[in-house]
Amino acid sequence: MQRHTFLKTILATSAAMLGLTATVAHAADPLEVPFYYPVAVGGPITKVIDGYAADFNKAHPQYKITPIYAGTYQETIVKALTANKSGKAPATSVLLSTDMFTLIDEDAIAPIDDFVKTDADKAWLKGFYPAFMANSQTGGKTWGVPFQRSTVVMYYNKDAFKEAGLDPNKAPATWKELNEAAKKLTKKDVNGNVTQYGIQIPSTGFAYWMLQTLTTPNDVLLANEAGTKVTFDNPKVIEALDFWVNLTKEGVHPKGVVEWGTTPKDFMEKKAAIIITTTGNLTNLKANAKFDFGVGQIAGNVRKGGSPTGGGNFYIFKKAPKEQQQAAFEFAKWVTQPERAAQWSMDSGYVAVSPAAYDTPALKKYGQEFPQALVARDQLPVSVAEFSTHDNQRVTKALNDAVQAALNGTKTSAQAMKDAQKEADRILRSYQ
Amino acid sequence: MSASSSSAAGSGQRSIHAWLLLLPALVLLVTFTHWPAVATFIDSFYSTPKGARAAVWVGLENYETMVDDPVFWQAVRNNLWFAAATIPASIGLALLMAVWVNERIAGRTFIRMAYFTPTVLPMIAVANIWLFFYTPQYGLLEQVTTALGLPSHNWLGSPSTALGAVTLVAVWKEAGFFMIFYLAALQTLNPSLKEAAAIEGASRWYFFRRVQWPLLMPTTLFVLVNAVINAFRLVDHVFILTRGGPDNATTLLLYHLYEVGFKFWDTAYAAAITVVLVVVLASVALFQFFVLDKKVHYK
């Protein structure tokens, strides 16, 4: 008797719940569009993204973009690919532009060209900086839409420059000048301990990217365009790594591996007079540094300047329902319109993705008041694509390990790069 | 005749009843524990499915890759070192703290709570705090060492100290947790033993060595099993502190497994590593339970 009542209650509850979900599904008319995004720089980025989604939803009542903060780039791709493998792919996700080959190999993303139909769409796709499209296109297809893109820049403390007798309005333009400035900027206390390093280049997380900011001025590319071959053991690459290693040997750069995340903090705390890191840190530093700082282009060597691009693209997932994919496309298009791209650049510090964005009155005015914001864009003509290959994470790890081994002195630069080359050749064999 | 058939029907009904009661737990156990383990074992003999390419039978290839993988062996070495350092240190420290806070001392409750705090805090938050302890130049550790006139050191960025720094955080975290078990065990000991020892004039150390320590053996075994398992399944604070670096100096087995599985998406190879890890851990646990268990009970 009691059992019967129990069963009845369960049945009644489940029936009620089923009915409830049915009504909820019916009532929620706008199409839910899950959107995963990472945060890789300081500042209130999540609030900004939520704001964009809300604005888009207001303008497009048939859609409901749901932004889901998914951690770092690395954590976001883990979540997105896991969801994809389980059959519940997000409609869209912002992921590293360098993950393009991985996403293609996993058969996870749909080419953007499938959605570009009208002339206006075609014009929009042509509007991005070509430097950013280098990591977004392969095999004649476009796979990603540039969004939070960056280049590497040099931040320098103007007060420290004045103190050391250097021109605070001119960033070091060559390796030689950079090395000399770093020496002058290094300060020691009475015990001989360094209180301020001349220069700091982080070597966790994005060590390969930082190496690339040294190999690019040395006029050498780390990988071919198809992402199937690498050139780690090229003498010019070894020379570039040696330049970095020598900075630590001379004591003008911290010893050991330097944290990516604490580098901007080291700059603000005046523990490093020059730091080399993503332009994405610009807004954070502008808000929090208590001294006047300059932003310079990457110093040149064989070639004048030159920085790899970096950052994330919008990708559209193949397994998501067709209507969601369309909505994701509309959102990506909407958020990269010149006015919003300009706003995003000012909110975050990232480079606006199209020349049209820099022609908007808002960004023009911002650039006049804060010329540091234009440096990352100005070096785009000499920029190269960020290092990216098939099986990207694995090849990148081999390179990261090599850089860390050389910086720690456990291997010579030449040995480290030779080992990494061997490892990369083995991994990439099946793609050649 | 009729009586026996009705009792058979009754027992049949009872066993159905029993199985129905077991069913929810059984379903959960099979779905989330047994089936994944079996599936992982099977997957380790197939290649990784990629995009449109389905998985194919490759036999022992994934295990051969493992034998040739230098990072795997480095992870094994690191993990053995890590286990050898954390297990005795955290158990010893736990015992020491438990014996101490078991006495009647001022502020006993507060000290107990302080010891237990590391266990309650989420590991990621803890690791972030320690990250700044270790930060070169202005981290807590650096403040102390430079005040003493010692040279500056990059604790997490040098291969010689990175693993030691990670180990220290693990010991700090584990010791408080194990202390709780020892404290509970100490409080179940018969107080008349202590009185008898006092009457006999036994020293504090003699009493611990000959009475408390032997009686705590079953607890030590339980703690040991846990410590061994924890030493091989630690992964969270490696993420925050070093991400396995510099140059794999702090890569532990589970971190390597995560990288292979979720960074490189080589799920088949990851399955093979999982199988090895499970087999090793299971045999260690079985050895501890069946061999050591016979020796720990004080008779």
Side-chain angles (χ1 to χ4, degrees):
Chain A
M1 187 58 195
Q2 263 179 349
R3 200 182 315 166
H4 278 240
T5 340
F6 176 65
L7 279 177
K8 259 190 206 160
T9 328
I10 288 200
L11 277 176
T13 327
S14 22
M17 272 164 70
L18 276 176
L20 200 67
T21 32
T23 22
V24 167
H26 188 73
D29 253 340
L31 178 71
E32 282 259 3
V33 184
F35 158 46
Y36 291 8
Y37 71 97
V39 170
V41 297
I45 299 294
T46 46
K47 229 167 78 189
V48 176
I49 299 263
D50 285 345
Y52 290 163
D55 288 351
F56 176 81
N57 294 337
K58 216 178 282 165
H60 303 76
Q62 72 272 37
Y63 298 133
K64 186 169 176 289
I65 296 274
T66 324
I68 299 160
Y69 167 60
T72 62
Y73 274 117
Q74 185 50 49
E75 287 156 8
T76 308
I77 190 173
V78 169
K79 281 174 195 161
L81 276 183
T82 311
N84 184 55
K85 279 171 195 247
S86 77
K88 288 215 160 207
T92 180
S93 177
V94 169
L95 298 166
L96 284 174
S97 61
T98 53
D99 283 325
M100 175 176 68
F101 289 116
T102 305
L103 291 164
I104 294 170
D105 291 341
E106 291 284 350
D107 201 25
I109 51 172
I112 302 297
D113 314 274
D114 292 0
F115 303 92
V116 174
K117 285 175 188 125
T118 64
D119 286 345
D121 289 351
K122 279 177 198 154
W124 162 77
L125 198 57
K126 279 213 182 90
F128 295 107
Y129 280 109
F132 291 145
M133 294 315 274
N135 271 109
S136 315
Q137 295 170 322
T138 188
K141 279 186 178 162
T142 305
W143 298 90
V145 179
F147 174 55
Q148 44 185 41
R149 297 302 298 267
S150 52
T151 62
V152 185
V153 293
M154 186 190 323
Y155 299 91
Y156 62 97
N157 182 334
K158 285 190 175 176
D159 295 351
F161 265 53
K162 265 181 235 160
E163 224 176 288
L166 294 158
D167 181 0
N169 295 314
K170 204 173 138 276
T174 65
W175 282 6
K176 199 162 164 282
E177 282 177 36
L178 186 62
N179 195 308
E180 279 161 11
K183 275 179 193 152
K184 284 184 192 160
L185 290 163
T186 303
K187 284 201 283 195
K188 289 184 180 173
D189 65 9
V190 283
N191 294 327
N193 280 324
V194 178
T195 52
Q196 174 183 285
Y197 281 102
I199 182 170
Q200 180 167 319
I201 309 172
S203 43
T204 66
F206 299 93
Y208 71 97
W209 201 37
M210 295 295 116
L211 178 69
Q212 222 188 340
T213 61
L214 296 170
T215 54
T216 310
N218 223 19
D219 201 20
V220 57
L221 291 175
L222 288 175
N224 65 351
E225 215 170 286
T228 54
K229 274 207 172 85
V230 297
T231 51
F232 296 164
D233 57 357
N234 185 308
K236 285 183 186 166
V237 175
I238 295 167
E239 191 194 349
L241 180 55
D242 258 339
F243 173 74
W244 193 355
V245 172
N246 280 333
L247 290 173
T248 67
K249 281 189 184 156
E250 287 165 2
V252 298
H253 181 290
K255 286 211 167 21
V257 163
V258 173
E259 260 300 310
W260 170 263
T262 50
T263 294
K265 178 98 176 137
D266 291 343
F267 185 65
M268 287 186 250
E269 297 278 339
K270 300 183 188 169
K271 297 294 177 191
I274 299 174
I275 59 166
I276 292 183
T277 183
T278 170
T279 186
N281 279 315
L282 183 61
T283 302
N284 180 28
L285 285 176
K286 181 177 180 243
N288 295 312
K290 288 182 186 68
F291 49 82
D292 197 11
F293 69 91
V295 178
Q297 296 196 16
I298 288 305
N301 190 39
V302 177
R303 217 178 92 151
K304 186 181 167 291
S307 150
T309 62
N313 279 351
F314 272 106
Y315 294 101
I316 297 175
F317 279 76
K318 219 177 186 172
K319 276 193 198 151
K322 279 273 169 289
E323 306 80 53
Q324 282 194 5
Q325 292 183 19
Q326 188 60 39
F329 175 71
E330 297 294 337
F331 179 63
K333 209 165 63 177
W334 182 87
V335 91
T336 51
Q337 292 302 315
E339 287 76 25
R340 263 169 306 266
Q343 188 58 44
W344 172 235
S345 175
M346 291 182 281
D347 287 344
S348 64
Y350 283 112
V351 186
V353 286
S354 60
Y358 283 96
D359 286 339
T360 58
L363 198 49
K364 258 191 183 153
K365 187 159 164 274
Y366 185 71
Q368 275 159 9
E369 287 164 3
F370 187 55
Q372 287 96 318
L374 301 178
V375 175
R377 176 202 64 175
D378 292 342
Q379 63 182 357
L380 279 179
V382 286
S383 287
V384 297
E386 185 176 5
F387 175 73
S388 171
T389 64
H390 287 278
D391 225 335
N392 189 52
Q393 299 282 355
R394 194 175 261 181
V395 177
T396 300
K397 181 175 161 56
L399 184 51
N400 281 344
D401 288 350
V403 170
Q404 295 189 345
L407 284 173
N408 268 309
T410 50
K411 287 180 189 171
T412 62
S413 304
Q415 188 60 47
M417 294 323 275
K418 232 173 256 163
D419 290 353
Q421 177 75 36
K422 215 172 93 194
E423 174 75 3
D425 284 345
R426 190 181 65 75
I427 299 164
L428 291 174
R429 208 173 37 212
S430 58
Y431 298 97
Q432 284 159 3
Chain B
M1 176 84 187
S2 74
S4 82
S5 83
S6 89
S7 98
S11 88
Q13 211 167 30
R14 263 208 303 281
S15 91
I16 290 173
H17 203 139
W19 279 110
L20 279 177
L21 286 172
L22 284 174
L23 194 64
L26 203 64
V27 167
L28 286 177
L29 207 61
V30 168
T31 330
F32 293 107
T33 309
H34 299 320
W35 174 242
V38 173
T40 303
F41 184 69
I42 296 170
D43 284 347
S44 73
F45 297 105
Y46 283 88
S47 71
T48 301
K50 265 227 164 129
R53 248 188 307 150
V56 291
W57 174 267
V58 293
L60 288 173
E61 202 183 280
N62 288 316
Y63 293 92
E64 283 158 18
T65 314
M66 197 184 317
V67 174
D68 291 335
D69 179 2
V71 181
F72 171 75
W73 290 110
Q74 169 128 36
V76 169
R77 278 196 303 278
N78 288 344
N79 220 145
L80 288 176
W81 194 96
F82 178 79
T86 48
I87 297 168
S90 56
I91 294 181
L93 213 59
L95 190 59
L96 201 69
M97 297 191 302
V99 170
W100 190 39
V101 297
N102 193 37
E103 306 285 320
R104 291 193 189 288
I105 49 165
R108 188 169 68 164
T109 321
F110 176 76
I111 298 175
R112 282 183 188 177
M113 194 191 71
Y115 283 156
F116 196 59
T117 313
T119 310
V120 186
L121 293 174
M123 201 60 212
I124 301 292
V126 161
N128 270 306
I129 297 168
W130 278 87
L131 185 65
F132 274 93
F133 282 3
Y134 287 134
T135 304
Q137 300 192 68
Y138 50 88
L140 184 70
L141 212 56
E142 286 288 270
Q143 305 267 6
V144 176
T145 50
T146 43
L148 294 171
L150 296 167
S152 163
H153 186 76
N154 189 347
W155 296 96
L156 291 172
S158 311
S160 53
T161 51
L163 188 55
V166 170
T167 308
L168 191 68
V169 181
V171 171
W172 173 81
K173 170 101 179 164
E174 295 269 272
F177 183 53
F178 295 151
M179 181 204 71
I180 291 297
F181 295 108
Y182 275 124
L183 191 59
L186 281 171
Q187 297 192 338
T188 60
L189 297 187
N190 193 337
S192 62
L193 291 170
K194 184 156 194 183
E195 285 157 21
I199 292 167
E200 298 283 341
S203 72
R204 181 82 194 73
W205 168 241
Y206 188 85
F207 174 66
F208 171 76
R209 195 162 56 91
R210 300 309 289 262
V211 180
Q212 281 181 317
W213 176 240
L215 287 173
L216 285 175
M217 265 310 183
T219 311
T220 307
L221 176 70
F222 175 77
V223 167
L224 186 67
V225 173
N226 272 290
V228 170
I229 293 171
N230 283 355
F232 285 92
R233 66 164 204 201
L234 178 119
V235 72
D236 30 13
H237 76 240
V238 174
F239 273 97
I240 306 294
L241 290 171
T242 59
R243 264 155 277 139
D247 190 20
N248 298 314
T250 56
T251 299
L252 300 180
L253 274 172
L254 200 57
Y255 186 78
H256 181 53
L257 178 57
Y258 169 84
E259 276 202 323
V260 169
F262 294 100
K263 211 167 164 184
F264 308 156
W265 291 104
D266 193 346
T267 46
Y269 179 34
I273 302 178
T274 309
V275 169
V276 169
L277 194 61
V278 168
V279 167
V280 169
L281 278 183
S283 37
V284 169
L286 290 177
F287 171 79
Q288 285 171 320
F289 271 121
F290 288 109
V291 180
L292 294 184
D293 196 40
K294 291 202 173 74
K295 302 185 176 170
V296 298
H297 291 288
Y298 185 76
K299 290 191 183 91

